[in-house]
Structures are given as C-alpha cells and as structure tokens.
Amino acid sequence: MKRIPSGVRIAAALAVVAASAALLTACDTFSTTTVAEQDFVNELAIPPLADSTVEDGVRTFQLTAQEGTTDFPGIGDAETWGFNGSFLGPTLRAERGEQVAFEIDNQLPEATSVHWHGMHLPAVMDGGPHQMIEQGETWRPTWTIDQPASTLWYHPHPHGETEKHVYLGLAGMFILDDDASLAADLPSEYGVDDLPLIVQDKEFDGAGQLVLNDDGSEPGTLGDTVMVNGTVGAYQDVTTERVRLRLLNGSTARTYTFEMPDRPMTMIASDGGFLDAPVEMDQMRLAPGERAEVVVEFEPGETVRLRSSKTDLGGIVVPATSGGNDEFDVLEFRAADTLTPSPEPTWPQAQDAVADELHEDEASVTRDFVLNTREINGEQMDMNRIDEIVHVGDTEVWEVRSTQPIPHSFHIHDVQFRVLSIDGQAPPPELAGPKDTIYLNPNLTYRLLVRFEDYADPTMPYMYHCHMLLHEDEGMMGQFVVIEPGDEDKVRAPEHSEHVDDSDDAVIGGHSGH
Ligand code: C2O
Ligand code: CU
Ligand code: CU
C-alpha cells in the first residue's frame, strides 16, 4: 500500500480546497454537481436472501469472496469483487437468539476479512484486521445473535486495504429480526415493500473499469456514478401504498442527504434498531457506514425519485470538494395504478428496548477521542498496540471530536451507542436511537454512551475508527479490548499472521479512562 505521510497529504488536500474555492468565486455558473445525470431505465437489483441450513439449532451460511465481471448497463463490463457473485453479496437474515455460523471461502487474489458491522459478538468473530482469511482459506466464525432487530451489514476489514475491497464490491446487508419486529405492522415483504438499498458512488475510467482515484480529494474518491444494489439508473416498481426502505450508505467516502419529493420519510430505525418513536423527516443525512429504515407512502400511478440533495457537512472548508454541493437522483419509484393497501404502521413496543436501554448515571468512565490528520488521539493505528482497555459490564461515555475541517465519521465495533449530546445539545431524533457510526461535524463534541456487556478477551481487540475508508486505511483507527477487571496484566495485542516480527513486543498504550 502506498504510504503518504499524513501531513503531506493534508497539505495537498488543502491546496486543492483552496484552488477550488478560487474557482467557485471566479465562476458563478460552475456546476455544483460532480454526479452524472442518469436515465432511470434499469430495474433495481435486489440482493438475494442468502440460503442457510439449520442443524442442531445452528443456522449456517456459506459465503465465497470472489473475483468477477459485472455488466453495468450503459458502462460495460467491469472487473469487480463480490460474495457468491461478481458484485456485492446476498442479504443475510437471522433472528435474535439464533446461533449463526459461517463458512467463508476466500477465492480472491489476496487476503481479506469479513467484518459484521453493527454486530454485538466476541472479538475473535468480529472479522477485523486480526481475522484475516488468506487466499484459498476458509474462516468459520460463529456466535449467537443477541441484540434487537436492525439493519446491519458486512464488509471486509483488511488493514490498509478496506477501501479497495469495499469499493470493488465486497459488501452486503445483514438483517436481524426479533419478536417485536416480526409482530409489528410494518411493510416486511423482502424485495417487494421492504427494500434493501445499498447506495454507493463509483468512478469508472474510459475502459469501463472501476477506479479509485487517489487525487488527494477529501475524504477520498467521490464517484460521479451512483448505484443502488449495483444498479446504475435504477427504477423500482411499487405495488403497495407504503414501502419500507432500508438505506445503507455503502460508499467509501460520500455522505448523502436523502429526500423524497412532496412527502416526509417516516424514519423508524437507525443503525442498531428501532427509534423510541418514529420521526417524520424531510431530509436525512447518512455518512458512510450509517443506516436508516424509513417508511414512505405512494400515490397510485405516480413516478417519484429518491434524491440526494446538497449535504451540510458542517464547517468543512469547501463543501464542494467533499461532495457537499452535489445533488442527484438516486432511484426512481414507479407506482402501479392500483396499490395494495398497507396496514396502518405500528411500531414495536418497548419491552425489548427497555432491556437494552443505557443509563448515563451508570457510566463510570469517560474517554476522549480526538480525530485529526489520520490520527486518533495523536496516534495512527498500530496492530501491535492496544489503545484502550475497557472493563466488561461497564457503561462509559466516549467523547469524540474532530478538530479538522474535513469529513470524518466515527464507528465503534461490538456495540450500539446512544448519543447523549452534541456540543451540549440533545441530539436530533434521528440520532437519538441506537447507533454504531456517526458523522462528526468538525469541532463539535459528541458524547456517546456505550455499554460493554460481555465477551471479555484480553488478547483480541475490537476496532474504533473513522468510517471514511481511505482515512481508516491510512491509520485513523484504534484498538480496544474488553477485559475482566483485574486482568490488565493479561492484555496483549494478538500476534497476527504476517509481517510481525516475533521479537516485536506488543505495546500496551492503554489507559483505563479517567
Ligand atoms: Cu464498517 Cu470497522 O467497520
Ligand atoms: Cu464495524
Ligand atoms: Cu476521517
């Protein structure tokens, strides 16, 4: 991997920013979008639900990470990567309480990993950079689903290569159900009125191949082609009055602001499950890695588009260079002349939610995380350094702040957190539900309430990092272990398969909060 000292890269980025600022003032008619106009002529692909076999109460899925060729209509055949296919992966689905197991074959030309974004699970099953699957090998993680119904996702996490692996197509949805979600009156027919929508932007070269252009733009490659589930210019036929959209920003760098014309989107769930109460939204900002479930209503016979409008990136030097001024259509809905009535939506009642609730007065530890120049708290990711040591059972407050006018987002593995406040203010309702990833407006302090319930393991860390994948690859990541109190002396960074000299003693940089 190309290593550019972060200082140099940032300086270059700021120069680009300054140059485009000059351009913007010089030229009023400068197009504010870098995104191409689309014709919406291709039926939306719906990722298939993954097959699974159940034996002795264990639900087993098979995934193969593989190379392939994908025909993007109007663009041509591109070399891509996918799970069980050439691009993206099947939708995984399981219920709370079920034990799941996976056989993951790596048929790629290089090592990869598969991380379960948003999942509460043991660190050795997490699929981060310490669980590499070498070329030709098979990884078999297993755990019990122990969290509320939600829309999660899975993607590779090889250190320094995550952007490329995700960008080439390795990503899929992981839907969790529970008793409350199954009992709720919500649109729930997969692919019909319950739609997985993996939104990604891509850049193609003249030969129709995917390119990651390393041009110093921040926070990474912003593609001029937007696709949903791998379909460019996608339309979806609507046959019911209400449709539930499971929106996943599966982009590597682009933040979207979704909206529908003339109607609110009723947001029912954030990253980690249902909101306490649904909230009507005119617009919804989603940064890479974030999800939202919304319900929208349609009139018979209408054609409407899901759009992404200008995005308030919050105090970014020149929003245009980070995609903030881009406006484009994402997906066209074509409602049939007669729509099947949808039941009046009901939302899951709170019993499950109460058990999963977090209480600020239980927080015993506060930790600070400052994001700047590809570093968190002044350090770049080191596979051999444990940055934070957490005691199992503890509730903590993580205070996170980006001190740089560049888009960053913050993701924590293993947990769903609650946003206590943003610069002292209560979070808006869409950020008040369970979250695992959050966009950081520069220079605001995000106080996150997190509980580390179980799975103590002093020798296998979880990650926290910026989910702008270029930033993550360039070192904006740290490692935390969850341990039994008193096990401090057992904390070690794991020996990972390659590139580690045995004489290199693991460094423990951990502080236990304050
Ligand atoms: Cu979506 Cu650490 O990842
Ligand atoms: Cu994750
Ligand atoms: Cu970042």
Side-chain angles (χ1 to χ4, degrees), residues 6 13 24 26 34 55 94 111 141 154 198 202 204 208-209 218 228 262 281 296 300 367 387 440 449 491 501:
S6 57
L24 278 173
T34 59
E55 212 177 304
Y154 61 101
I198 304 174
K202 306 287 178 192
F204 290 91
Q209 298 302 319
E218 285 293 348
V228 184
D262 320 317
M281 309 272 297
V296 287
R367 290 173 206 270
D387 298 281
L440 301 176
L449 187 63
V491 173
D501 181 345

Side-chain angles (χ1 to χ4, degrees), residues 39-62:
D39 288 331
F40 289 80
V41 293
N42 301 307
E43 191 171 4
L44 176 71
I46 301 290
L49 283 169
D51 287 335
S52 57
T53 53
V54 181
E55 212 177 304
D56 298 331
V58 182
R59 181 177 296 282
T60 303
F61 297 89
Q62 203 283 328

